[in-house]
């Protein structure tokens, strides 16, 4: 039991004897050094902003997110020597998800959350905080959205000569995704890229869905894709109207001639699909981004439906 007695000492530097208890009388004790140099400072206090750090979020169920953490006050008093207080860059309440018992959707109160002061390098500064611990309300939600799976086929031009895709079926057409609301709001479909390069015969394969950035979980992670081939044919679709996109405010646009207002689009595929395609299934447009008044020659961009 090694100790020093600071009773009655004032701010400044002091030499203090190191004392110890001789718990075993059969042994001879000696402490070295026998004197400690102790510097005592005036204790001062300052008010600092209090922020929240959420620890171990990755250990939460992937369908759940921490929606909010509510604390009683965003201010805290720190106490200590003046030079220590000057080192404090931030004070944080450390909310540890591991301390949640059976986390589920709703609000849970976590008690006795410790507060820590850090310097600008992220190292802990040994100061007193008042209060030393706080309580917090942890709000858990499970935002989700059902979106369609959009198949994107790559390598269509490299399918075996004289062949085209007559049918492409996916075992499920929709998937429920879980994640922050702002991510879900900007997600309208889940792309599923299929490489059909070199395909010669009908095929069925399992494909893993790629989780979009920001999405934590999906109801389906793997789908089965069935592809059927048939002999290729081609067809001209006449009078596909050309529309305008990205025209600056204050301008109007029209085709320079009647013939420029519509195009003929040649499509290739299997006969069973081509026979039902009309000009309504094809979108032709010109991108007028950045163009001003005058006559311009622009490329016509063609898009089709999933057919």
């Amino acid at each position: 039991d090694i100790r020093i007695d600071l009773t009655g000492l004032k701010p400044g530097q002091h030499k203090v004897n190191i004392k110890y208890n001789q718990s075993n009388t059969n042994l001879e004790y000696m402490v070295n050094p026998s004197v400690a140099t102790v510097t005592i400072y005036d204790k001062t206090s300052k008010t600092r902003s209090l922020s929240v750090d959420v620890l171990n979020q990755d250990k939460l169920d992937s369908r759940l997110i921490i929606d909010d953490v509510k604390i009683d006050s965003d201010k805290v008093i720190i106490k200590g020597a003046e030079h220590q207080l000057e080192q404090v860059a931030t004070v944080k309440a450390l909310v540890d998800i591991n301390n949640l018992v059976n986390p589920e959707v709703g609000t849970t109160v976590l008690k006795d959350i410790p507060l820590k002061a850090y310097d600008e390098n992220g190292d802990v500064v040994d100061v007193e905080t008042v209060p030393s611990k706080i309580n917090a309300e942890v709000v858990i939600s499970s935002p989700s959205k059902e979106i369609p799976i959009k198949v994107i086929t790559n390598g269509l031009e490299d399918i075996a000569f004289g062949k085209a895709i007559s049918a492409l079926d996916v075992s499920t057409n929709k998937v429920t995704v879980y994640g922050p609301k702002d991510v879900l709001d900007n997600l309208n479909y889940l792309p599923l890229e299929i490489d059909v390069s070199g395909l010669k015969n009908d095929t069925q394969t399992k494909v893993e869905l790629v989780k979009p950035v920001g999405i934590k979980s999906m109801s389906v992670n793997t789908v089965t894709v069935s592809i059927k081939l048939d002999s290729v044919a081609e067809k001209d679709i006449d009078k596909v109207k050309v529309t305008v996109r990205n025209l600056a405010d204050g301008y109007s646009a029209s085709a320079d001639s009647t013939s420029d207002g519509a195009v003929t689009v040649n499509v290739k595929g299997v006969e069973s699909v081509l026979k039902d395609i009309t000009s309504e299934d094809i979108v032709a447009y010109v991108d007028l981004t950045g163009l001003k008044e005058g006559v311009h020659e622009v490329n016509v961009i063609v898009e089709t439906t999933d057919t």
Side-chain angles (χ1 to χ4, degrees):
D1 183 14
I2 308 296
R3 66 192 187 280
I4 56 176
D5 187 358
L6 304 182
T7 303
L9 297 184
K10 304 297 183 183
Q13 195 172 82
H14 306 272
K15 299 286 187 180
V16 184
N17 291 326
I18 297 176
K19 300 179 181 181
Y20 57 93
N21 287 333
Q22 295 183 205
S23 58
N24 189 332
T25 56
N26 295 323
L27 296 176
E28 180 180 350
Y29 289 80
M30 180 177 65
V31 62
N32 184 24
S34 60
V35 176
T37 300
V38 178
T39 303
I40 299 177
Y41 299 90
D42 284 316
K43 179 182 283 188
T44 60
S45 63
K46 291 184 178 181
T47 301
R48 291 293 176 87
S49 296
L50 178 63
S51 59
V52 174
D53 251 9
V54 182
L55 310 179
N56 295 311
Q57 287 196 67
D58 290 343
K59 296 183 180 179
L60 194 66
D61 186 305
S62 60
R63 292 169 296 179
L64 303 177
I65 67 170
I66 303 299
D67 219 19
D68 193 15
V69 177
K70 302 176 182 178
I71 54 180
D72 295 335
S73 174
D74 60 355
K75 300 294 183 183
V76 64
I77 296 173
I78 56 174
K79 294 183 177 182
E82 182 67 27
H83 72 278
Q84 291 176 304
L85 300 189
E86 290 298 326
Q87 296 176 35
V88 176
T90 181
V91 183
K92 296 182 178 182
L94 305 180
V95 177
D96 192 344
I97 297 305
N98 285 339
N99 293 329
L100 291 174
V101 180
N102 297 323
E104 56 186 17
V105 174
T107 301
T108 302
V109 176
L110 269 183
K111 296 184 177 181
D112 298 329
I113 296 170
L115 307 184
K116 291 285 186 181
Y118 298 91
D119 64 16
E120 61 183 11
N121 296 318
D123 297 322
V124 175
V125 182
D126 185 18
V127 294
E128 178 186 353
T129 62
V130 180
S132 60
K133 296 180 179 181
I134 63 168
N135 298 335
E137 291 185 351
V138 181
V139 182
I140 299 176
S141 63
S142 181
S144 64
K145 183 178 182 180
E146 187 179 67
I147 57 175
I149 295 174
K150 182 177 181 180
V151 177
I152 301 172
T153 49
N154 298 321
L156 286 172
E157 65 280 3
D158 295 324
I159 292 178
F161 180 76
K163 296 287 187 179
I165 294 176
S166 61
L168 194 156
D169 296 318
V170 182
S171 55
T172 181
N173 295 316
K174 294 183 179 180
V175 59
T176 300
V177 290
Y178 298 84
K181 186 177 182 304
D182 59 333
V183 176
L184 296 178
D185 288 343
N186 293 315
L187 194 62
N188 297 314
Y189 63 88
L190 183 70
L192 173 60
E193 295 197 16
I194 306 295
D195 187 359
V196 295
S197 299
L199 192 62
K200 298 178 180 179
N201 302 299
D202 296 351
T203 185
Q204 185 178 83
T205 183
K206 287 187 176 181
V207 181
E208 186 172 348
L209 299 177
V210 178
K211 190 186 301 179
V213 175
I215 294 300
K216 300 184 64 179
S217 181
M218 300 191 300
S219 60
V220 178
N221 294 298
T222 303
V223 295
T224 300
V225 178
S226 300
I227 302 175
K228 291 185 178 181
L229 301 181
D230 204 343
S231 298
V232 71
E234 62 180 281
K235 176 182 179 180
D236 286 336
I237 308 296
D238 298 321
K239 298 181 180 179
V240 177
K241 185 178 178 181
V242 178
T243 59
V244 169
R245 293 185 185 180
N246 303 318
L247 180 64
D249 292 339
Y251 292 95
S252 64
S254 61
D256 192 41
S257 66
T258 303
S259 61
D260 287 329
V263 293
T264 297
V265 178
N266 179 265
V267 291
K268 293 182 179 182
V270 296
E271 181 64 35
S272 59
V273 174
L274 291 184
K275 66 182 179 63
D276 295 323
I277 293 181
T278 69
S279 60
E280 299 299 321
D281 299 312
I282 300 175
V283 176
Y285 69 92
V286 289
D287 186 347
L288 303 185
T289 301
L291 297 184
K292 305 298 183 182
E293 185 176 355
V295 178
H296 305 275
E297 185 174 306
V298 290
N299 292 325
V300 177
I301 302 170
V302 176
E303 294 179 349
T304 64
T305 65
D306 288 340
T307 302

